[in-house]
Amino acid sequence: MEAAVFISSLVDCCALIFLSVYFIITLSDLECDYINARSCCSKLNKWVVPEMIAQALATLLMLGSMHWFVFLLNLPVASWDVYRYVKVPVGNMGVYDPTEIHNRGQLKSHMKEAMIKLGFHLLCFFIYLYSMILALIND
């Protein structure tokens, strides 16, 4: 049972790593003017809710299997994703808004957030991988 939790968390983490890399590539394309702000934001906003669901799934899996350290490690990121989604101002296109993405350094902060999430998901990947191997050896 424990190995199945970590295998599903590992697959979920791989999807989150892919999404983080996708966000970084799309934001860097906007920074280099390869795509316009509207298409960049529509591409990224399409993946905000699936990212939030995947992060919440990993958090709930750790809560359900009573792995408290990993649960507490995932909780701030899941909370941040929900907070960011709920705090979208009325009238904006979504978390990423084309009219505001170039204002006040938002592009740089979105890029920094995507890089931090990539590092976090890579750390979680290795934690899940180690825990999965340990669970498979113990079974």
Side-chain angles (χ1 to χ4, degrees), residues 29-68:
D29 283 351
L30 176 64
E31 191 175 36
C32 296
D33 288 332
Y34 293 139
I35 58 174
N36 62 25
R38 182 168 173 78
S39 67
C40 173
C41 292
S42 67
K43 285 180 183 181
L44 295 179
N45 283 328
K46 188 178 359 177
W47 292 103
V48 168
V49 174
E51 178 193 22
M52 187 171 50
I53 291 170
Q55 184 64 45
L57 178 68
T59 305
L60 291 175
L61 274 172
M62 293 304 129
L63 176 65
S65 63
M66 290 186 237
H67 290 93
W68 301 113

mmCIF file of all heavy atoms in Angstrom, residues 29-68:
data_model
loop_
_atom_site.group_PDB
_atom_site.id
_atom_site.type_symbol
_atom_site.label_atom_id
_atom_site.label_comp_id
_atom_site.label_asym_id
_atom_site.label_seq_id
_atom_site.Cartn_x
_atom_site.Cartn_y
_atom_site.Cartn_z
ATOM 1 N N ASP A 29 9.821 32.531 -23.557
ATOM 2 C CA ASP A 29 9.433 32.916 -24.917
ATOM 3 C C ASP A 29 8.787 34.298 -24.929
ATOM 4 O O ASP A 29 9.021 35.090 -25.838
ATOM 5 C CB ASP A 29 8.459 31.895 -25.516
ATOM 6 C CG ASP A 29 9.145 30.627 -25.977
ATOM 7 O OD1 ASP A 29 10.398 30.594 -25.994
ATOM 8 O OD2 ASP A 29 8.429 29.659 -26.317
ATOM 9 N N LEU A 30 7.985 34.588 -23.914
ATOM 10 C CA LEU A 30 7.396 35.923 -23.807
ATOM 11 C C LEU A 30 8.466 36.965 -23.535
ATOM 12 O O LEU A 30 8.442 38.052 -24.111
ATOM 13 C CB LEU A 30 6.347 35.951 -22.690
ATOM 14 C CG LEU A 30 5.711 37.309 -22.395
ATOM 15 C CD1 LEU A 30 4.916 37.802 -23.604
ATOM 16 C CD2 LEU A 30 4.837 37.236 -21.167
ATOM 17 N N GLU A 31 9.414 36.633 -22.696
ATOM 18 C CA GLU A 31 10.486 37.563 -22.358
ATOM 19 C C GLU A 31 11.339 37.905 -23.580
ATOM 20 O O GLU A 31 11.791 39.039 -23.732
ATOM 21 C CB GLU A 31 11.353 36.945 -21.266
ATOM 22 C CG GLU A 31 12.330 37.882 -20.629
ATOM 23 C CD GLU A 31 13.071 37.231 -19.483
ATOM 24 O OE1 GLU A 31 13.377 36.018 -19.565
ATOM 25 O OE2 GLU A 31 13.330 37.937 -18.497
ATOM 26 N N CYS A 32 11.529 36.937 -24.457
ATOM 27 C CA CYS A 32 12.325 37.149 -25.672
ATOM 28 C C CYS A 32 11.494 37.628 -26.852
ATOM 29 O O CYS A 32 12.006 37.727 -27.971
ATOM 30 C CB CYS A 32 13.047 35.859 -26.053
ATOM 31 S SG CYS A 32 14.250 35.337 -24.837
ATOM 32 N N ASP A 33 10.213 37.886 -26.622
ATOM 33 C CA ASP A 33 9.285 38.363 -27.656
ATOM 34 C C ASP A 33 9.080 37.376 -28.799
ATOM 35 O O ASP A 33 8.856 37.755 -29.946
ATOM 36 C CB ASP A 33 9.727 39.717 -28.229
ATOM 37 C CG ASP A 33 9.521 40.845 -27.246
ATOM 38 O OD1 ASP A 33 8.604 40.724 -26.400
ATOM 39 O OD2 ASP A 33 10.260 41.844 -27.318
ATOM 40 N N TYR A 34 9.137 36.076 -28.509
ATOM 41 C CA TYR A 34 8.813 35.077 -29.517
ATOM 42 C C TYR A 34 7.300 34.889 -29.629
ATOM 43 O O TYR A 34 6.810 34.494 -30.683
ATOM 44 C CB TYR A 34 9.463 33.736 -29.194
ATOM 45 C CG TYR A 34 10.967 33.759 -29.299
ATOM 46 C CD1 TYR A 34 11.743 33.106 -28.356
ATOM 47 C CD2 TYR A 34 11.616 34.426 -30.330
ATOM 48 C CE1 TYR A 34 13.131 33.118 -28.443
ATOM 49 C CE2 TYR A 34 12.991 34.453 -30.423
ATOM 50 C CZ TYR A 34 13.743 33.798 -29.477
ATOM 51 O OH TYR A 34 15.099 33.818 -29.560
ATOM 52 N N ILE A 35 6.582 35.138 -28.528
ATOM 53 C CA ILE A 35 5.118 35.094 -28.542
ATOM 54 C C ILE A 35 4.603 36.349 -27.865
ATOM 55 O O ILE A 35 5.325 37.015 -27.115
ATOM 56 C CB ILE A 35 4.568 33.829 -27.823
ATOM 57 C CG1 ILE A 35 5.037 33.758 -26.376
ATOM 58 C CG2 ILE A 35 4.926 32.570 -28.560
ATOM 59 C CD1 ILE A 35 4.423 32.615 -25.580
ATOM 60 N N ASN A 36 3.347 36.681 -28.147
ATOM 61 C CA ASN A 36 2.779 37.878 -27.520
ATOM 62 C C ASN A 36 2.184 37.528 -26.159
ATOM 63 O O ASN A 36 2.017 36.369 -25.808
ATOM 64 C CB ASN A 36 1.750 38.542 -28.439
ATOM 65 C CG ASN A 36 0.563 37.665 -28.744
ATOM 66 O OD1 ASN A 36 0.229 36.769 -27.972
ATOM 67 N ND2 ASN A 36 -0.083 37.930 -29.877
ATOM 68 N N ALA A 37 1.870 38.577 -25.403
ATOM 69 C CA ALA A 37 1.418 38.399 -24.019
ATOM 70 C C ALA A 37 0.086 37.660 -23.952
ATOM 71 O O ALA A 37 -0.130 36.834 -23.061
ATOM 72 C CB ALA A 37 1.315 39.748 -23.327
ATOM 73 N N ARG A 38 -0.803 37.926 -24.882
ATOM 74 C CA ARG A 38 -2.125 37.295 -24.835
ATOM 75 C C ARG A 38 -2.035 35.788 -25.039
ATOM 76 O O ARG A 38 -2.654 35.009 -24.305
ATOM 77 C CB ARG A 38 -3.041 37.929 -25.877
ATOM 78 C CG ARG A 38 -4.437 37.368 -25.849
ATOM 79 C CD ARG A 38 -5.379 38.227 -26.680
ATOM 80 N NE ARG A 38 -6.685 37.646 -26.801
ATOM 81 C CZ ARG A 38 -7.621 37.683 -25.858
ATOM 82 N NH1 ARG A 38 -7.363 38.288 -24.720
ATOM 83 N NH2 ARG A 38 -8.797 37.138 -26.050
ATOM 84 N N SER A 39 -1.268 35.347 -26.032
ATOM 85 C CA SER A 39 -1.163 33.905 -26.268
ATOM 86 C C SER A 39 -0.395 33.214 -25.146
ATOM 87 O O SER A 39 -0.730 32.098 -24.755
ATOM 88 C CB SER A 39 -0.525 33.623 -27.622
ATOM 89 O OG SER A 39 0.823 34.018 -27.642
ATOM 90 N N CYS A 40 0.612 33.882 -24.599
ATOM 91 C CA CYS A 40 1.365 33.318 -23.473
ATOM 92 C C CYS A 40 0.449 33.120 -22.274
ATOM 93 O O CYS A 40 0.426 32.039 -21.679
ATOM 94 C CB CYS A 40 2.522 34.234 -23.103
ATOM 95 S SG CYS A 40 3.407 33.745 -21.613
ATOM 96 N N CYS A 41 -0.316 34.140 -21.927
ATOM 97 C CA CYS A 41 -1.180 34.052 -20.755
ATOM 98 C C CYS A 41 -2.309 33.050 -20.954
ATOM 99 O O CYS A 41 -2.680 32.342 -20.012
ATOM 100 C CB CYS A 41 -1.734 35.431 -20.413
ATOM 101 S SG CYS A 41 -0.457 36.555 -19.826
ATOM 102 N N SER A 42 -2.845 32.959 -22.159
ATOM 103 C CA SER A 42 -3.905 31.973 -22.386
ATOM 104 C C SER A 42 -3.350 30.548 -22.299
ATOM 105 O O SER A 42 -4.016 29.649 -21.783
ATOM 106 C CB SER A 42 -4.591 32.209 -23.726
ATOM 107 O OG SER A 42 -3.715 31.953 -24.798
ATOM 108 N N LYS A 43 -2.114 30.338 -22.785
ATOM 109 C CA LYS A 43 -1.486 29.023 -22.667
ATOM 110 C C LYS A 43 -1.251 28.659 -21.199
ATOM 111 O O LYS A 43 -1.492 27.523 -20.788
ATOM 112 C CB LYS A 43 -0.146 29.004 -23.404
ATOM 113 C CG LYS A 43 -0.230 28.936 -24.894
ATOM 114 C CD LYS A 43 1.170 28.930 -25.480
ATOM 115 C CE LYS A 43 1.132 28.945 -26.988
ATOM 116 N NZ LYS A 43 2.490 28.923 -27.561
ATOM 117 N N LEU A 44 -0.752 29.613 -20.419
ATOM 118 C CA LEU A 44 -0.421 29.329 -19.021
ATOM 119 C C LEU A 44 -1.663 29.194 -18.155
ATOM 120 O O LEU A 44 -1.715 28.323 -17.285
ATOM 121 C CB LEU A 44 0.495 30.416 -18.472
ATOM 122 C CG LEU A 44 1.882 30.502 -19.109
ATOM 123 C CD1 LEU A 44 2.672 31.639 -18.491
ATOM 124 C CD2 LEU A 44 2.624 29.198 -18.985
ATOM 125 N N ASN A 45 -2.663 30.031 -18.382
ATOM 126 C CA ASN A 45 -3.882 29.973 -17.577
ATOM 127 C C ASN A 45 -4.627 28.661 -17.763
ATOM 128 O O ASN A 45 -5.354 28.228 -16.869
ATOM 129 C CB ASN A 45 -4.804 31.153 -17.895
ATOM 130 C CG ASN A 45 -4.327 32.427 -17.241
ATOM 131 O OD1 ASN A 45 -3.740 32.405 -16.162
ATOM 132 N ND2 ASN A 45 -4.567 33.540 -17.894
ATOM 133 N N LYS A 46 -4.449 28.040 -18.924
ATOM 134 C CA LYS A 46 -5.086 26.761 -19.189
ATOM 135 C C LYS A 46 -4.564 25.669 -18.252
ATOM 136 O O LYS A 46 -5.265 24.712 -17.952
ATOM 137 C CB LYS A 46 -4.816 26.371 -20.652
ATOM 138 C CG LYS A 46 -5.556 25.190 -21.135
ATOM 139 C CD LYS A 46 -5.313 24.853 -22.608
ATOM 140 C CE LYS A 46 -4.393 25.746 -23.356
ATOM 141 N NZ LYS A 46 -4.135 25.333 -24.732
ATOM 142 N N TRP A 47 -3.331 25.833 -17.752
ATOM 143 C CA TRP A 47 -2.692 24.809 -16.935
ATOM 144 C C TRP A 47 -2.631 25.143 -15.454
ATOM 145 O O TRP A 47 -2.086 24.361 -14.672
ATOM 146 C CB TRP A 47 -1.282 24.539 -17.457
ATOM 147 C CG TRP A 47 -1.316 23.882 -18.785
ATOM 148 C CD1 TRP A 47 -1.080 24.457 -19.990
ATOM 149 C CD2 TRP A 47 -1.652 22.516 -19.052
ATOM 150 N NE1 TRP A 47 -1.232 23.526 -20.994
ATOM 151 C CE2 TRP A 47 -1.583 22.340 -20.443
ATOM 152 C CE3 TRP A 47 -1.991 21.438 -18.253
ATOM 153 C CZ2 TRP A 47 -1.843 21.118 -21.043
ATOM 154 C CZ3 TRP A 47 -2.253 20.226 -18.849
ATOM 155 C CH2 TRP A 47 -2.176 20.071 -20.229
ATOM 156 N N VAL A 48 -3.184 26.283 -15.034
ATOM 157 C CA VAL A 48 -3.136 26.678 -13.622
ATOM 158 C C VAL A 48 -3.975 25.732 -12.765
ATOM 159 O O VAL A 48 -3.520 25.249 -11.725
ATOM 160 C CB VAL A 48 -3.570 28.146 -13.447
ATOM 161 C CG1 VAL A 48 -3.802 28.480 -11.992
ATOM 162 C CG2 VAL A 48 -2.529 29.076 -14.035
ATOM 163 N N VAL A 49 -5.209 25.465 -13.184
ATOM 164 C CA VAL A 49 -6.093 24.593 -12.397
ATOM 165 C C VAL A 49 -5.581 23.150 -12.370
ATOM 166 O O VAL A 49 -5.546 22.544 -11.290
ATOM 167 C CB VAL A 49 -7.547 24.680 -12.914
ATOM 168 C CG1 VAL A 49 -8.436 23.671 -12.210
ATOM 169 C CG2 VAL A 49 -8.091 26.084 -12.709
ATOM 170 N N PRO A 50 -5.135 22.553 -13.502
ATOM 171 C CA PRO A 50 -4.567 21.198 -13.403
ATOM 172 C C PRO A 50 -3.334 21.128 -12.503
ATOM 173 O O PRO A 50 -3.149 20.141 -11.784
ATOM 174 C CB PRO A 50 -4.212 20.845 -14.850
ATOM 175 C CG PRO A 50 -5.133 21.661 -15.668
ATOM 176 C CD PRO A 50 -5.321 22.936 -14.910
ATOM 177 N N GLU A 51 -2.509 22.177 -12.512
ATOM 178 C CA GLU A 51 -1.347 22.203 -11.625
ATOM 179 C C GLU A 51 -1.791 22.235 -10.164
ATOM 180 O O GLU A 51 -1.237 21.526 -9.319
ATOM 181 C CB GLU A 51 -0.485 23.425 -11.934
ATOM 182 C CG GLU A 51 0.710 23.552 -11.025
ATOM 183 C CD GLU A 51 1.393 24.895 -11.114
ATOM 184 O OE1 GLU A 51 0.772 25.878 -11.543
ATOM 185 O OE2 GLU A 51 2.561 24.955 -10.712
ATOM 186 N N MET A 52 -2.806 23.036 -9.889
ATOM 187 C CA MET A 52 -3.323 23.149 -8.525
ATOM 188 C C MET A 52 -3.917 21.811 -8.065
ATOM 189 O O MET A 52 -3.689 21.377 -6.935
ATOM 190 C CB MET A 52 -4.383 24.258 -8.480
ATOM 191 C CG MET A 52 -4.871 24.589 -7.114
ATOM 192 S SD MET A 52 -5.919 26.057 -7.068
ATOM 193 C CE MET A 52 -7.107 25.755 -8.342
ATOM 194 N N ILE A 53 -4.642 21.137 -8.942
ATOM 195 C CA ILE A 53 -5.240 19.846 -8.604
ATOM 196 C C ILE A 53 -4.157 18.794 -8.373
ATOM 197 O O ILE A 53 -4.233 18.003 -7.425
ATOM 198 C CB ILE A 53 -6.233 19.408 -9.700
ATOM 199 C CG1 ILE A 53 -7.458 20.320 -9.691
ATOM 200 C CG2 ILE A 53 -6.630 17.950 -9.540
ATOM 201 C CD1 ILE A 53 -8.383 20.132 -10.870
ATOM 202 N N ALA A 54 -3.133 18.776 -9.226
ATOM 203 C CA ALA A 54 -2.053 17.796 -9.075
ATOM 204 C C ALA A 54 -1.287 18.019 -7.775
ATOM 205 O O ALA A 54 -0.943 17.060 -7.080
ATOM 206 C CB ALA A 54 -1.111 17.870 -10.274
ATOM 207 N N GLN A 55 -1.048 19.278 -7.427
ATOM 208 C CA GLN A 55 -0.347 19.563 -6.174
ATOM 209 C C GLN A 55 -1.209 19.182 -4.974
ATOM 210 O O GLN A 55 -0.710 18.626 -3.992
ATOM 211 C CB GLN A 55 0.041 21.042 -6.109
ATOM 212 C CG GLN A 55 0.844 21.412 -4.890
ATOM 213 C CD GLN A 55 2.191 20.731 -4.852
ATOM 214 O OE1 GLN A 55 2.897 20.676 -5.848
ATOM 215 N NE2 GLN A 55 2.550 20.187 -3.707
ATOM 216 N N ALA A 56 -2.503 19.464 -5.046
ATOM 217 C CA ALA A 56 -3.414 19.091 -3.962
ATOM 218 C C ALA A 56 -3.506 17.570 -3.836
ATOM 219 O O ALA A 56 -3.587 17.045 -2.722
ATOM 220 C CB ALA A 56 -4.795 19.692 -4.204
ATOM 221 N N LEU A 57 -3.478 16.862 -4.955
ATOM 222 C CA LEU A 57 -3.513 15.403 -4.929
ATOM 223 C C LEU A 57 -2.293 14.829 -4.215
ATOM 224 O O LEU A 57 -2.422 13.935 -3.369
ATOM 225 C CB LEU A 57 -3.603 14.848 -6.351
ATOM 226 C CG LEU A 57 -3.596 13.339 -6.490
ATOM 227 C CD1 LEU A 57 -4.881 12.750 -5.920
ATOM 228 C CD2 LEU A 57 -3.415 12.947 -7.934
ATOM 229 N N ALA A 58 -1.121 15.366 -4.532
ATOM 230 C CA ALA A 58 0.095 14.891 -3.862
ATOM 231 C C ALA A 58 0.036 15.189 -2.369
ATOM 232 O O ALA A 58 0.424 14.351 -1.546
ATOM 233 C CB ALA A 58 1.324 15.561 -4.482
ATOM 234 N N THR A 59 -0.486 16.342 -2.010
ATOM 235 C CA THR A 59 -0.595 16.710 -0.599
ATOM 236 C C THR A 59 -1.578 15.801 0.124
ATOM 237 O O THR A 59 -1.299 15.314 1.225
ATOM 238 C CB THR A 59 -1.032 18.182 -0.472
ATOM 239 O OG1 THR A 59 -0.124 19.003 -1.212
ATOM 240 C CG2 THR A 59 -1.041 18.636 0.970
ATOM 241 N N LEU A 60 -2.719 15.542 -0.502
ATOM 242 C CA LEU A 60 -3.727 14.688 0.130
ATOM 243 C C LEU A 60 -3.278 13.225 0.216
ATOM 244 O O LEU A 60 -3.640 12.522 1.160
ATOM 245 C CB LEU A 60 -5.052 14.803 -0.616
ATOM 246 C CG LEU A 60 -5.761 16.156 -0.492
ATOM 247 C CD1 LEU A 60 -6.997 16.199 -1.370
ATOM 248 C CD2 LEU A 60 -6.105 16.444 0.958
ATOM 249 N N LEU A 61 -2.510 12.771 -0.768
ATOM 250 C CA LEU A 61 -1.965 11.409 -0.708
ATOM 251 C C LEU A 61 -1.050 11.253 0.506
ATOM 252 O O LEU A 61 -1.096 10.238 1.206
ATOM 253 C CB LEU A 61 -1.188 11.077 -1.980
ATOM 254 C CG LEU A 61 -1.987 10.546 -3.156
ATOM 255 C CD1 LEU A 61 -1.105 10.461 -4.386
ATOM 256 C CD2 LEU A 61 -2.572 9.198 -2.835
ATOM 257 N N MET A 62 -0.241 12.260 0.761
ATOM 258 C CA MET A 62 0.662 12.190 1.911
ATOM 259 C C MET A 62 -0.104 12.304 3.224
ATOM 260 O O MET A 62 0.259 11.666 4.215
ATOM 261 C CB MET A 62 1.729 13.284 1.830
ATOM 262 C CG MET A 62 2.693 13.095 0.702
ATOM 263 S SD MET A 62 3.500 11.495 0.760
ATOM 264 C CE MET A 62 3.224 10.918 -0.889
ATOM 265 N N LEU A 63 -1.162 13.087 3.224
ATOM 266 C CA LEU A 63 -1.998 13.200 4.424
ATOM 267 C C LEU A 63 -2.715 11.870 4.687
ATOM 268 O O LEU A 63 -2.745 11.387 5.825
ATOM 269 C CB LEU A 63 -3.020 14.323 4.273
ATOM 270 C CG LEU A 63 -4.019 14.494 5.415
ATOM 271 C CD1 LEU A 63 -3.300 14.907 6.692
ATOM 272 C CD2 LEU A 63 -5.075 15.523 5.045
ATOM 273 N N GLY A 64 -3.267 11.276 3.641
ATOM 274 C CA GLY A 64 -3.998 10.020 3.782
ATOM 275 C C GLY A 64 -3.123 8.858 4.203
ATOM 276 O O GLY A 64 -3.567 7.958 4.913
ATOM 277 N N SER A 65 -1.876 8.874 3.768
ATOM 278 C CA SER A 65 -0.968 7.781 4.143
ATOM 279 C C SER A 65 -0.163 8.099 5.399
ATOM 280 O O SER A 65 0.700 7.328 5.791
ATOM 281 C CB SER A 65 -0.028 7.463 2.985
ATOM 282 O OG SER A 65 0.793 8.580 2.709
ATOM 283 N N MET A 66 -0.461 9.230 6.004
ATOM 284 C CA MET A 66 0.150 9.662 7.273
ATOM 285 C C MET A 66 1.670 9.806 7.203
ATOM 286 O O MET A 66 2.384 9.456 8.137
ATOM 287 C CB MET A 66 -0.254 8.731 8.392
ATOM 288 C CG MET A 66 -1.699 8.855 8.766
ATOM 289 S SD MET A 66 -2.070 7.860 10.178
ATOM 290 C CE MET A 66 -3.374 6.844 9.524
ATOM 291 N N HIS A 67 2.154 10.362 6.100
ATOM 292 C CA HIS A 67 3.562 10.746 5.983
ATOM 293 C C HIS A 67 3.623 12.240 6.277
ATOM 294 O O HIS A 67 3.534 13.073 5.376
ATOM 295 C CB HIS A 67 4.102 10.413 4.586
ATOM 296 C CG HIS A 67 4.230 8.966 4.354
ATOM 297 N ND1 HIS A 67 3.231 8.217 3.778
ATOM 298 C CD2 HIS A 67 5.229 8.108 4.660
ATOM 299 C CE1 HIS A 67 3.616 6.965 3.716
ATOM 300 N NE2 HIS A 67 4.825 6.865 4.256
ATOM 301 N N TRP A 68 3.752 12.553 7.553
ATOM 302 C CA TRP A 68 3.565 13.929 8.027
ATOM 303 C C TRP A 68 4.629 14.883 7.509
ATOM 304 O O TRP A 68 4.319 16.029 7.175
ATOM 305 C CB TRP A 68 3.520 13.948 9.550
ATOM 306 C CG TRP A 68 2.410 13.106 10.076
ATOM 307 C CD1 TRP A 68 2.535 11.953 10.791
ATOM 308 C CD2 TRP A 68 1.005 13.307 9.890
ATOM 309 N NE1 TRP A 68 1.293 11.424 11.078
ATOM 310 C CE2 TRP A 68 0.341 12.247 10.531
ATOM 311 C CE3 TRP A 68 0.245 14.272 9.249
ATOM 312 C CZ2 TRP A 68 -1.039 12.130 10.555
ATOM 313 C CZ3 TRP A 68 -1.131 14.165 9.276
ATOM 314 C CH2 TRP A 68 -1.759 13.105 9.912
#
